[in-house]
Amino acid sequence: QGQLAESGGGSVEAGGSLRLSCAASGFTFRTYCLAWFRQVPGKAREDVATSDYPDITTYADSVQGRFTISRDNAREILYLQMDNLKPEDTAMYYCAAAIRCDWLHTHGYWGQGTQVTVSS
């Protein structure tokens, strides 16, 4: 059974940076589709960034050019570098993993989330 654990969230002022980490175990990390999502209470969950095997990355338009997703296959850790943060980036951030990216919501492993708060 796969497990994911996020860390690195916190409070930061607008324009600042944070790096989220997601430690994985229990599945073949290097071949899985990995992603970061975020959710604000009362709103739909948003796909922020995706890293698909072997080396395909995609980003939401709202974070393109500011966020960078990366993966350390040897250590089995997924990262999200967030620069030039804006108040609208405030959300709970989750990492997810699945054999296929289109299976993330239905058959994926999910972490418990880490809160990011950006003040203006």
Side-chain angles (χ1 to χ4, degrees), residues 45-110:
R45 188 165 51 191
E46 178 186 15
D47 184 350
V48 174
T50 301
S51 171
D52 197 8
Y53 178 83
D55 190 23
I56 303 169
T57 58
T58 59
Y59 296 92
D61 289 344
S62 58
V63 306
Q64 180 76 46
R66 298 188 298 120
F67 290 12
T68 303
I69 188 171
S70 62
R71 57 200 294 168
D72 184 333
N73 289 330
R75 298 178 62 195
E76 298 190 334
I77 301 176
L78 178 70
Y79 298 103
L80 184 68
Q81 177 67 41
M82 305 185 296
D83 298 318
N84 190 21
L85 282 160
K86 302 177 180 180
E88 52 263 43
D89 295 319
T90 295
M92 184 71 78
Y93 283 72
Y94 300 89
C95 64
I99 294 174
R100 297 171 40 163
C101 289
D102 58 354
W103 287 7
L104 284 167
H105 292 281
T106 56
H107 298 85
Y109 303 123
W110 289 79

Short mmCIF file of all heavy atoms in Angstrom, two decimals, residues 45-110:
data_model
loop_
_atom_site.label_atom_id
_atom_site.label_comp_id
_atom_site.label_asym_id
_atom_site.label_seq_id
_atom_site.Cartn_x
_atom_site.Cartn_y
_atom_site.Cartn_z
N ARG A 45 -11.00 21.00 -5.97
CA ARG A 45 -9.57 20.72 -5.92
C ARG A 45 -8.95 21.05 -7.27
O ARG A 45 -9.51 20.75 -8.31
CB ARG A 45 -9.38 19.23 -5.59
CG ARG A 45 -7.99 18.80 -5.32
CD ARG A 45 -7.97 17.44 -4.66
NE ARG A 45 -8.77 16.47 -5.39
CZ ARG A 45 -9.08 15.28 -4.91
NH1 ARG A 45 -8.69 14.90 -3.70
NH2 ARG A 45 -9.80 14.44 -5.63
N GLU A 46 -7.78 21.68 -7.23
CA GLU A 46 -7.11 22.15 -8.44
C GLU A 46 -5.82 21.38 -8.66
O GLU A 46 -5.02 21.23 -7.74
CB GLU A 46 -6.81 23.65 -8.33
CG GLU A 46 -6.06 24.23 -9.51
CD GLU A 46 -5.66 25.67 -9.31
OE1 GLU A 46 -5.68 26.16 -8.16
OE2 GLU A 46 -5.31 26.34 -10.29
N ASP A 47 -5.60 20.93 -9.88
CA ASP A 47 -4.35 20.28 -10.27
C ASP A 47 -3.31 21.37 -10.49
O ASP A 47 -3.45 22.16 -11.42
CB ASP A 47 -4.58 19.46 -11.54
CG ASP A 47 -3.35 18.68 -11.95
OD1 ASP A 47 -2.26 18.90 -11.38
OD2 ASP A 47 -3.47 17.84 -12.87
N VAL A 48 -2.29 21.42 -9.66
CA VAL A 48 -1.28 22.47 -9.73
C VAL A 48 -0.16 22.10 -10.69
O VAL A 48 0.23 22.88 -11.55
CB VAL A 48 -0.70 22.74 -8.33
CG1 VAL A 48 0.44 23.73 -8.39
CG2 VAL A 48 -1.79 23.24 -7.38
N ALA A 49 0.39 20.89 -10.54
CA ALA A 49 1.51 20.47 -11.36
C ALA A 49 1.58 18.95 -11.37
O ALA A 49 1.25 18.31 -10.38
CB ALA A 49 2.82 21.04 -10.82
N THR A 50 2.05 18.42 -12.51
CA THR A 50 2.13 16.97 -12.68
C THR A 50 3.48 16.59 -13.26
O THR A 50 3.99 17.28 -14.14
CB THR A 50 1.01 16.48 -13.60
OG1 THR A 50 -0.25 16.84 -13.05
CG2 THR A 50 1.05 14.97 -13.78
N SER A 51 4.02 15.48 -12.77
CA SER A 51 5.26 14.92 -13.29
C SER A 51 4.98 13.48 -13.69
O SER A 51 4.71 12.64 -12.83
CB SER A 51 6.34 14.97 -12.22
OG SER A 51 7.50 14.25 -12.64
N ASP A 52 5.03 13.23 -14.98
CA ASP A 52 4.71 11.89 -15.47
C ASP A 52 5.98 11.22 -15.98
O ASP A 52 6.89 11.89 -16.49
CB ASP A 52 3.67 11.97 -16.57
CG ASP A 52 3.00 10.63 -16.85
OD1 ASP A 52 3.24 9.68 -16.08
OD2 ASP A 52 2.22 10.54 -17.81
N TYR A 53 6.04 9.91 -15.86
CA TYR A 53 7.17 9.12 -16.34
C TYR A 53 7.24 9.20 -17.84
O TYR A 53 6.19 9.13 -18.52
CB TYR A 53 6.98 7.67 -15.88
CG TYR A 53 8.05 6.73 -16.34
CD1 TYR A 53 9.24 6.64 -15.64
CD2 TYR A 53 7.88 5.93 -17.47
CE1 TYR A 53 10.24 5.76 -16.04
CE2 TYR A 53 8.87 5.07 -17.89
CZ TYR A 53 10.03 4.98 -17.17
OH TYR A 53 11.02 4.12 -17.59
N PRO A 54 8.43 9.37 -18.47
CA PRO A 54 9.72 9.45 -17.80
C PRO A 54 10.11 10.86 -17.35
O PRO A 54 10.80 11.00 -16.34
CB PRO A 54 10.70 8.96 -18.88
CG PRO A 54 10.06 9.36 -20.16
CD PRO A 54 8.58 9.21 -19.93
N ASP A 55 9.66 11.87 -18.05
CA ASP A 55 10.08 13.23 -17.67
C ASP A 55 9.16 14.26 -18.32
O ASP A 55 9.62 15.14 -19.03
CB ASP A 55 11.54 13.47 -18.09
CG ASP A 55 12.10 14.76 -17.50
OD1 ASP A 55 11.56 15.23 -16.48
OD2 ASP A 55 13.04 15.33 -18.07
N ILE A 56 7.89 14.15 -18.04
CA ILE A 56 6.90 15.06 -18.62
C ILE A 56 6.26 15.85 -17.49
O ILE A 56 5.70 15.28 -16.56
CB ILE A 56 5.82 14.26 -19.38
CG1 ILE A 56 6.46 13.40 -20.47
CG2 ILE A 56 4.79 15.22 -19.98
CD1 ILE A 56 5.51 12.39 -21.07
N THR A 57 6.35 17.17 -17.58
CA THR A 57 5.76 18.02 -16.55
C THR A 57 4.70 18.93 -17.16
O THR A 57 4.84 19.40 -18.28
CB THR A 57 6.82 18.88 -15.84
OG1 THR A 57 7.49 19.67 -16.81
CG2 THR A 57 7.84 18.01 -15.12
N THR A 58 3.66 19.18 -16.39
CA THR A 58 2.61 20.11 -16.79
C THR A 58 2.24 20.97 -15.59
O THR A 58 2.40 20.54 -14.44
CB THR A 58 1.36 19.38 -17.30
OG1 THR A 58 0.86 18.52 -16.27
CG2 THR A 58 1.66 18.55 -18.53
N TYR A 59 1.75 22.17 -15.88
CA TYR A 59 1.42 23.13 -14.83
C TYR A 59 0.08 23.78 -15.12
O TYR A 59 -0.30 23.99 -16.28
CB TYR A 59 2.49 24.22 -14.75
CG TYR A 59 3.85 23.72 -14.34
CD1 TYR A 59 4.79 23.34 -15.30
CD2 TYR A 59 4.19 23.62 -12.99
CE1 TYR A 59 6.03 22.87 -14.93
CE2 TYR A 59 5.45 23.16 -12.62
CZ TYR A 59 6.36 22.78 -13.59
OH TYR A 59 7.60 22.32 -13.21
N ALA A 60 -0.60 24.14 -14.06
CA ALA A 60 -1.78 24.98 -14.21
C ALA A 60 -1.34 26.36 -14.69
O ALA A 60 -0.26 26.83 -14.34
CB ALA A 60 -2.50 25.10 -12.87
N ASP A 61 -2.19 26.99 -15.48
CA ASP A 61 -1.86 28.32 -15.99
C ASP A 61 -1.57 29.30 -14.85
O ASP A 61 -0.72 30.18 -14.98
CB ASP A 61 -3.01 28.86 -16.85
CG ASP A 61 -3.14 28.13 -18.17
OD1 ASP A 61 -2.19 27.43 -18.56
OD2 ASP A 61 -4.21 28.26 -18.80
N SER A 62 -2.24 29.13 -13.75
CA SER A 62 -2.12 30.07 -12.63
C SER A 62 -0.76 30.01 -11.95
O SER A 62 -0.40 30.94 -11.22
CB SER A 62 -3.22 29.80 -11.61
OG SER A 62 -3.15 28.46 -11.14
N VAL A 63 0.00 28.92 -12.15
CA VAL A 63 1.29 28.80 -11.49
C VAL A 63 2.45 28.70 -12.48
O VAL A 63 3.62 28.68 -12.07
CB VAL A 63 1.32 27.57 -10.54
CG1 VAL A 63 0.16 27.63 -9.57
CG2 VAL A 63 1.34 26.27 -11.30
N GLN A 64 2.14 28.62 -13.77
CA GLN A 64 3.18 28.49 -14.79
C GLN A 64 4.21 29.61 -14.65
O GLN A 64 3.85 30.79 -14.54
CB GLN A 64 2.54 28.54 -16.18
CG GLN A 64 3.52 28.40 -17.32
CD GLN A 64 3.99 26.97 -17.52
OE1 GLN A 64 3.19 26.04 -17.53
NE2 GLN A 64 5.28 26.80 -17.69
N GLY A 65 5.49 29.23 -14.62
CA GLY A 65 6.55 30.22 -14.50
C GLY A 65 6.91 30.60 -13.07
O GLY A 65 7.92 31.26 -12.83
N ARG A 66 6.09 30.18 -12.11
CA ARG A 66 6.36 30.49 -10.70
C ARG A 66 6.64 29.21 -9.89
O ARG A 66 7.41 29.26 -8.93
CB ARG A 66 5.17 31.21 -10.08
CG ARG A 66 4.85 32.54 -10.72
CD ARG A 66 3.77 33.30 -9.92
NE ARG A 66 2.50 32.58 -9.86
CZ ARG A 66 1.93 32.19 -8.72
NH1 ARG A 66 2.52 32.44 -7.55
NH2 ARG A 66 0.77 31.55 -8.73
N PHE A 67 6.02 28.12 -10.24
CA PHE A 67 6.17 26.85 -9.53
C PHE A 67 6.97 25.87 -10.39
O PHE A 67 6.85 25.87 -11.63
CB PHE A 67 4.81 26.23 -9.22
CG PHE A 67 4.00 26.94 -8.18
CD1 PHE A 67 4.33 28.20 -7.72
CD2 PHE A 67 2.87 26.33 -7.65
CE1 PHE A 67 3.57 28.85 -6.75
CE2 PHE A 67 2.09 26.95 -6.70
CZ PHE A 67 2.45 28.22 -6.25
N THR A 68 7.74 25.01 -9.72
CA THR A 68 8.50 23.98 -10.41
C THR A 68 8.33 22.65 -9.69
O THR A 68 8.62 22.55 -8.48
CB THR A 68 9.99 24.32 -10.46
OG1 THR A 68 10.16 25.59 -11.09
CG2 THR A 68 10.75 23.27 -11.26
N ILE A 69 7.85 21.65 -10.41
CA ILE A 69 7.72 20.31 -9.85
C ILE A 69 8.96 19.51 -10.22
O ILE A 69 9.47 19.62 -11.34
CB ILE A 69 6.44 19.61 -10.35
CG1 ILE A 69 6.21 18.30 -9.61
CG2 ILE A 69 6.47 19.40 -11.86
CD1 ILE A 69 4.85 17.66 -9.91
N SER A 70 9.47 18.73 -9.28
CA SER A 70 10.62 17.88 -9.56
C SER A 70 10.53 16.62 -8.71
O SER A 70 9.79 16.59 -7.71
CB SER A 70 11.93 18.62 -9.30
OG SER A 70 12.03 18.99 -7.94
N ARG A 71 11.28 15.62 -9.10
CA ARG A 71 11.23 14.35 -8.38
C ARG A 71 12.63 13.79 -8.23
O ARG A 71 13.45 13.89 -9.14
CB ARG A 71 10.33 13.36 -9.11
CG ARG A 71 10.73 13.09 -10.56
CD ARG A 71 9.59 12.52 -11.39
NE ARG A 71 9.19 11.20 -10.95
CZ ARG A 71 8.07 10.59 -11.35
NH1 ARG A 71 7.25 11.20 -12.17
NH2 ARG A 71 7.78 9.38 -10.91
N ASP A 72 12.91 13.24 -7.07
CA ASP A 72 14.16 12.54 -6.80
C ASP A 72 13.81 11.06 -6.73
O ASP A 72 13.34 10.57 -5.71
CB ASP A 72 14.76 13.03 -5.48
CG ASP A 72 16.12 12.42 -5.19
OD1 ASP A 72 16.38 11.30 -5.66
OD2 ASP A 72 16.91 13.05 -4.47
N ASN A 73 14.04 10.36 -7.83
CA ASN A 73 13.64 8.96 -7.89
C ASN A 73 14.47 8.08 -6.95
O ASN A 73 13.98 7.06 -6.45
CB ASN A 73 13.74 8.43 -9.31
CG ASN A 73 12.67 9.02 -10.22
OD1 ASN A 73 11.58 9.35 -9.76
ND2 ASN A 73 12.99 9.16 -11.49
N ALA A 74 15.70 8.46 -6.70
CA ALA A 74 16.55 7.66 -5.80
C ALA A 74 16.06 7.75 -4.36
O ALA A 74 16.03 6.75 -3.63
CB ALA A 74 17.99 8.11 -5.91
N ARG A 75 15.66 8.94 -3.94
CA ARG A 75 15.20 9.13 -2.56
C ARG A 75 13.68 8.99 -2.44
O ARG A 75 13.15 9.00 -1.33
CB ARG A 75 15.63 10.51 -2.06
CG ARG A 75 17.14 10.70 -2.03
CD ARG A 75 17.50 12.09 -1.57
NE ARG A 75 17.04 12.36 -0.21
CZ ARG A 75 16.96 13.55 0.35
NH1 ARG A 75 17.29 14.61 -0.36
NH2 ARG A 75 16.56 13.69 1.59
N GLU A 76 13.00 8.90 -3.59
CA GLU A 76 11.54 8.78 -3.63
C GLU A 76 10.86 9.97 -2.94
O GLU A 76 10.02 9.80 -2.04
CB GLU A 76 11.09 7.44 -3.03
CG GLU A 76 11.63 6.24 -3.81
CD GLU A 76 11.03 4.92 -3.41
OE1 GLU A 76 10.58 4.81 -2.23
OE2 GLU A 76 11.00 3.98 -4.24
N ILE A 77 11.24 11.14 -3.39
CA ILE A 77 10.65 12.37 -2.88
C ILE A 77 10.20 13.23 -4.06
O ILE A 77 10.93 13.39 -5.03
CB ILE A 77 11.65 13.16 -2.01
CG1 ILE A 77 12.10 12.31 -0.83
CG2 ILE A 77 11.00 14.46 -1.51
CD1 ILE A 77 13.16 12.99 0.03
N LEU A 78 9.02 13.78 -3.94
CA LEU A 78 8.48 14.73 -4.91
C LEU A 78 8.57 16.12 -4.30
O LEU A 78 8.30 16.29 -3.10
CB LEU A 78 7.02 14.39 -5.23
CG LEU A 78 6.29 15.31 -6.18
CD1 LEU A 78 6.84 15.14 -7.61
CD2 LEU A 78 4.79 15.03 -6.15
N TYR A 79 8.93 17.10 -5.12
CA TYR A 79 9.07 18.47 -4.63
C TYR A 79 8.16 19.41 -5.42
O TYR A 79 7.80 19.15 -6.57
CB TYR A 79 10.52 18.96 -4.79
CG TYR A 79 11.53 18.17 -4.01
CD1 TYR A 79 12.34 17.24 -4.63
CD2 TYR A 79 11.70 18.39 -2.64
CE1 TYR A 79 13.29 16.52 -3.93
CE2 TYR A 79 12.64 17.68 -1.92
CZ TYR A 79 13.43 16.75 -2.57
OH TYR A 79 14.36 16.04 -1.85
N LEU A 80 7.84 20.52 -4.77
CA LEU A 80 7.20 21.62 -5.46
C LEU A 80 7.86 22.90 -4.96
O LEU A 80 7.65 23.31 -3.81
CB LEU A 80 5.69 21.67 -5.20
CG LEU A 80 4.94 22.75 -5.97
CD1 LEU A 80 4.95 22.41 -7.47
CD2 LEU A 80 3.51 22.91 -5.48
N GLN A 81 8.67 23.50 -5.82
CA GLN A 81 9.29 24.79 -5.52
C GLN A 81 8.31 25.89 -5.92
O GLN A 81 7.90 25.94 -7.09
CB GLN A 81 10.61 24.94 -6.27
CG GLN A 81 11.29 26.28 -6.06
CD GLN A 81 11.76 26.49 -4.64
OE1 GLN A 81 12.29 25.57 -4.03
NE2 GLN A 81 11.58 27.70 -4.12
N MET A 82 7.95 26.72 -4.97
CA MET A 82 6.98 27.77 -5.22
C MET A 82 7.63 29.12 -5.00
O MET A 82 8.05 29.43 -3.87
CB MET A 82 5.77 27.60 -4.28
CG MET A 82 5.12 26.23 -4.37
SD MET A 82 3.62 26.09 -3.39
CE MET A 82 4.28 26.29 -1.74
N ASP A 83 7.76 29.89 -6.05
CA ASP A 83 8.37 31.22 -5.99
C ASP A 83 7.34 32.29 -6.33
O ASP A 83 6.31 32.01 -6.94
CB ASP A 83 9.54 31.28 -6.98
CG ASP A 83 10.64 30.30 -6.65
OD1 ASP A 83 10.97 30.17 -5.45
OD2 ASP A 83 11.17 29.66 -7.58
N ASN A 84 7.66 33.52 -5.93
CA ASN A 84 6.77 34.65 -6.20
C ASN A 84 5.34 34.31 -5.79
O ASN A 84 4.39 34.49 -6.56
CB ASN A 84 6.83 35.03 -7.68
CG ASN A 84 6.12 36.35 -7.98
OD1 ASN A 84 5.93 37.17 -7.07
ND2 ASN A 84 5.72 36.53 -9.22
N LEU A 85 5.20 33.84 -4.58
CA LEU A 85 3.88 33.43 -4.09
C LEU A 85 2.92 34.60 -4.00
O LEU A 85 3.32 35.74 -3.71
CB LEU A 85 4.02 32.74 -2.74
CG LEU A 85 4.52 31.29 -2.82
CD1 LEU A 85 5.09 30.84 -1.48
CD2 LEU A 85 3.40 30.37 -3.26
N LYS A 86 1.65 34.30 -4.25
CA LYS A 86 0.59 35.30 -4.21
C LYS A 86 -0.46 34.88 -3.18
O LYS A 86 -0.60 33.67 -2.88
CB LYS A 86 -0.06 35.39 -5.60
CG LYS A 86 0.90 35.74 -6.72
CD LYS A 86 0.19 35.75 -8.06
CE LYS A 86 1.17 36.09 -9.19
NZ LYS A 86 0.49 36.11 -10.51
N PRO A 87 -1.22 35.82 -2.66
CA PRO A 87 -2.26 35.45 -1.68
C PRO A 87 -3.23 34.40 -2.22
O PRO A 87 -3.70 33.54 -1.45
CB PRO A 87 -2.97 36.78 -1.42
CG PRO A 87 -1.90 37.80 -1.64
CD PRO A 87 -1.09 37.28 -2.79
N GLU A 88 -3.47 34.41 -3.51
CA GLU A 88 -4.40 33.42 -4.10
C GLU A 88 -3.81 32.01 -4.15
O GLU A 88 -4.50 31.06 -4.52
CB GLU A 88 -4.86 33.85 -5.49
CG GLU A 88 -3.75 34.20 -6.44
CD GLU A 88 -3.49 35.71 -6.49
OE1 GLU A 88 -3.49 36.36 -5.41
OE2 GLU A 88 -3.27 36.23 -7.61
N ASP A 89 -2.54 31.87 -3.80
CA ASP A 89 -1.94 30.53 -3.69
C ASP A 89 -2.25 29.88 -2.35
O ASP A 89 -1.92 28.71 -2.13
CB ASP A 89 -0.42 30.61 -3.87
CG ASP A 89 -0.01 31.06 -5.27
OD1 ASP A 89 -0.63 30.61 -6.24
OD2 ASP A 89 0.94 31.88 -5.36
N THR A 90 -2.84 30.62 -1.45
CA THR A 90 -3.19 30.08 -0.14
C THR A 90 -4.15 28.91 -0.30
O THR A 90 -5.21 29.03 -0.93
CB THR A 90 -3.85 31.16 0.73
OG1 THR A 90 -2.89 32.19 0.99
CG2 THR A 90 -4.33 30.59 2.05
N ALA A 91 -3.78 27.77 0.26
CA ALA A 91 -4.58 26.55 0.11
C ALA A 91 -3.92 25.42 0.89
O ALA A 91 -2.78 25.55 1.36
CB ALA A 91 -4.70 26.15 -1.35
N MET A 92 -4.64 24.32 1.01
CA MET A 92 -4.04 23.08 1.46
C MET A 92 -3.48 22.38 0.23
O MET A 92 -4.20 22.22 -0.77
CB MET A 92 -5.08 22.19 2.15
CG MET A 92 -4.52 20.90 2.73
SD MET A 92 -3.50 21.20 4.19
CE MET A 92 -4.80 21.45 5.41
N TYR A 93 -2.22 21.99 0.30
CA TYR A 93 -1.56 21.35 -0.82
C TYR A 93 -1.39 19.85 -0.55
O TYR A 93 -0.94 19.46 0.54
CB TYR A 93 -0.19 21.98 -1.07
CG TYR A 93 -0.29 23.32 -1.76
CD1 TYR A 93 -0.77 24.43 -1.08
CD2 TYR A 93 0.09 23.47 -3.09
CE1 TYR A 93 -0.89 25.65 -1.72
CE2 TYR A 93 -0.02 24.69 -3.73
CZ TYR A 93 -0.51 25.77 -3.05
OH TYR A 93 -0.62 26.99 -3.69
N TYR A 94 -1.75 19.05 -1.56
CA TYR A 94 -1.69 17.60 -1.45
C TYR A 94 -0.81 17.03 -2.56
O TYR A 94 -0.84 17.51 -3.70
CB TYR A 94 -3.08 16.98 -1.60
CG TYR A 94 -4.09 17.43 -0.59
CD1 TYR A 94 -4.87 18.56 -0.81
CD2 TYR A 94 -4.29 16.70 0.58
CE1 TYR A 94 -5.82 18.96 0.12
CE2 TYR A 94 -5.23 17.10 1.52
CZ TYR A 94 -5.99 18.23 1.27
OH TYR A 94 -6.93 18.63 2.20
N CYS A 95 -0.08 15.98 -2.25
CA CYS A 95 0.60 15.24 -3.31
C CYS A 95 -0.19 13.95 -3.56
O CYS A 95 -0.88 13.43 -2.67
CB CYS A 95 2.05 14.94 -2.98
SG CYS A 95 2.34 13.89 -1.57
N ALA A 96 -0.08 13.47 -4.80
CA ALA A 96 -0.80 12.28 -5.20
C ALA A 96 0.04 11.48 -6.17
O ALA A 96 0.89 12.04 -6.86
CB ALA A 96 -2.14 12.64 -5.84
N ALA A 97 -0.21 10.17 -6.22
CA ALA A 97 0.54 9.28 -7.10
C ALA A 97 -0.37 8.20 -7.64
O ALA A 97 -1.25 7.70 -6.93
CB ALA A 97 1.70 8.65 -6.34
N ALA A 98 -0.16 7.83 -8.91
CA ALA A 98 -0.92 6.76 -9.53
C ALA A 98 -0.12 6.19 -10.70
O ALA A 98 0.77 6.86 -11.22
CB ALA A 98 -2.28 7.26 -10.02
N ILE A 99 -0.47 4.99 -11.10
CA ILE A 99 0.22 4.36 -12.23
C ILE A 99 0.04 5.20 -13.49
O ILE A 99 0.95 5.32 -14.30
CB ILE A 99 -0.33 2.94 -12.44
CG1 ILE A 99 0.03 2.04 -11.25
CG2 ILE A 99 0.21 2.33 -13.73
CD1 ILE A 99 -0.59 0.67 -11.30
N ARG A 100 -1.15 5.76 -13.64
CA ARG A 100 -1.44 6.65 -14.77
C ARG A 100 -2.01 7.95 -14.26
O ARG A 100 -2.75 7.97 -13.28
CB ARG A 100 -2.46 5.98 -15.71
CG ARG A 100 -1.99 4.72 -16.36
CD ARG A 100 -3.12 4.02 -17.07
NE ARG A 100 -4.03 4.91 -17.77
CZ ARG A 100 -4.87 4.52 -18.71
NH1 ARG A 100 -4.89 3.26 -19.06
NH2 ARG A 100 -5.70 5.36 -19.27
N CYS A 101 -1.70 9.03 -14.95
CA CYS A 101 -2.17 10.34 -14.49
C CYS A 101 -3.70 10.42 -14.47
O CYS A 101 -4.28 11.08 -13.60
CB CYS A 101 -1.60 11.45 -15.37
SG CYS A 101 0.18 11.70 -15.14
N ASP A 102 -4.36 9.78 -15.40
CA ASP A 102 -5.82 9.84 -15.42
C ASP A 102 -6.45 8.93 -14.37
O ASP A 102 -7.68 8.88 -14.26
CB ASP A 102 -6.39 9.55 -16.81
CG ASP A 102 -5.97 8.20 -17.36
OD1 ASP A 102 -5.15 7.51 -16.70
OD2 ASP A 102 -6.46 7.82 -18.42
N TRP A 103 -5.64 8.26 -13.58
CA TRP A 103 -6.12 7.45 -12.48
C TRP A 103 -5.92 8.12 -11.12
O TRP A 103 -6.27 7.55 -10.09
CB TRP A 103 -5.43 6.08 -12.46
CG TRP A 103 -5.86 5.15 -13.53
CD1 TRP A 103 -6.68 5.41 -14.58
CD2 TRP A 103 -5.47 3.77 -13.66
NE1 TRP A 103 -6.83 4.29 -15.36
CE2 TRP A 103 -6.11 3.28 -14.83
CE3 TRP A 103 -4.66 2.93 -12.91
CZ2 TRP A 103 -5.94 1.97 -15.26
CZ3 TRP A 103 -4.51 1.61 -13.34
CH2 TRP A 103 -5.14 1.15 -14.49
N LEU A 104 -5.36 9.31 -11.09
CA LEU A 104 -5.04 9.96 -9.82
C LEU A 104 -6.26 10.08 -8.91
O LEU A 104 -6.17 9.83 -7.71
CB LEU A 104 -4.42 11.33 -10.06
CG LEU A 104 -2.97 11.34 -10.52
CD1 LEU A 104 -2.58 12.72 -11.03
CD2 LEU A 104 -2.03 10.91 -9.40
N HIS A 105 -7.37 10.51 -9.48
CA HIS A 105 -8.54 10.77 -8.65
C HIS A 105 -9.26 9.49 -8.23
O HIS A 105 -9.93 9.47 -7.20
CB HIS A 105 -9.51 11.69 -9.38
CG HIS A 105 -8.96 13.07 -9.58
ND1 HIS A 105 -8.96 14.01 -8.59
CD2 HIS A 105 -8.38 13.64 -10.65
CE1 HIS A 105 -8.41 15.12 -9.06
NE2 HIS A 105 -8.05 14.92 -10.30
N THR A 106 -9.14 8.44 -9.03
CA THR A 106 -9.92 7.23 -8.77
C THR A 106 -9.11 6.11 -8.13
O THR A 106 -9.67 5.34 -7.34
CB THR A 106 -10.54 6.71 -10.08
OG1 THR A 106 -9.48 6.50 -11.02
CG2 THR A 106 -11.53 7.71 -10.64
N HIS A 107 -7.82 6.04 -8.45
CA HIS A 107 -6.99 4.93 -7.96
C HIS A 107 -5.67 5.41 -7.38
O HIS A 107 -4.73 4.64 -7.27
CB HIS A 107 -6.69 3.93 -9.09
CG HIS A 107 -7.90 3.27 -9.67
ND1 HIS A 107 -8.65 3.84 -10.66
CD2 HIS A 107 -8.50 2.09 -9.37
CE1 HIS A 107 -9.65 3.04 -10.98
NE2 HIS A 107 -9.58 1.97 -10.22
N GLY A 108 -5.60 6.66 -7.05
CA GLY A 108 -4.32 7.20 -6.59
C GLY A 108 -4.10 7.12 -5.10
O GLY A 108 -5.04 6.95 -4.31
N TYR A 109 -2.84 7.27 -4.71
CA TYR A 109 -2.45 7.44 -3.32
C TYR A 109 -2.41 8.94 -3.04
O TYR A 109 -1.95 9.72 -3.89
CB TYR A 109 -1.08 6.83 -3.04
CG TYR A 109 -0.97 5.36 -3.36
CD1 TYR A 109 0.00 4.90 -4.25
CD2 TYR A 109 -1.82 4.43 -2.77
CE1 TYR A 109 0.12 3.55 -4.54
CE2 TYR A 109 -1.71 3.08 -3.06
CZ TYR A 109 -0.75 2.64 -3.94
OH TYR A 109 -0.64 1.31 -4.23
N TRP A 110 -2.84 9.33 -1.85
CA TRP A 110 -2.90 10.74 -1.49
C TRP A 110 -2.28 10.96 -0.11
O TRP A 110 -2.44 10.13 0.79
CB TRP A 110 -4.34 11.23 -1.48
CG TRP A 110 -4.93 11.34 -2.84
CD1 TRP A 110 -5.43 10.33 -3.61
CD2 TRP A 110 -5.06 12.54 -3.60
NE1 TRP A 110 -5.87 10.83 -4.81
CE2 TRP A 110 -5.66 12.18 -4.84
CE3 TRP A 110 -4.75 13.88 -3.38
CZ2 TRP A 110 -5.94 13.11 -5.84
CZ3 TRP A 110 -5.03 14.81 -4.36
CH2 TRP A 110 -5.62 14.43 -5.59
#
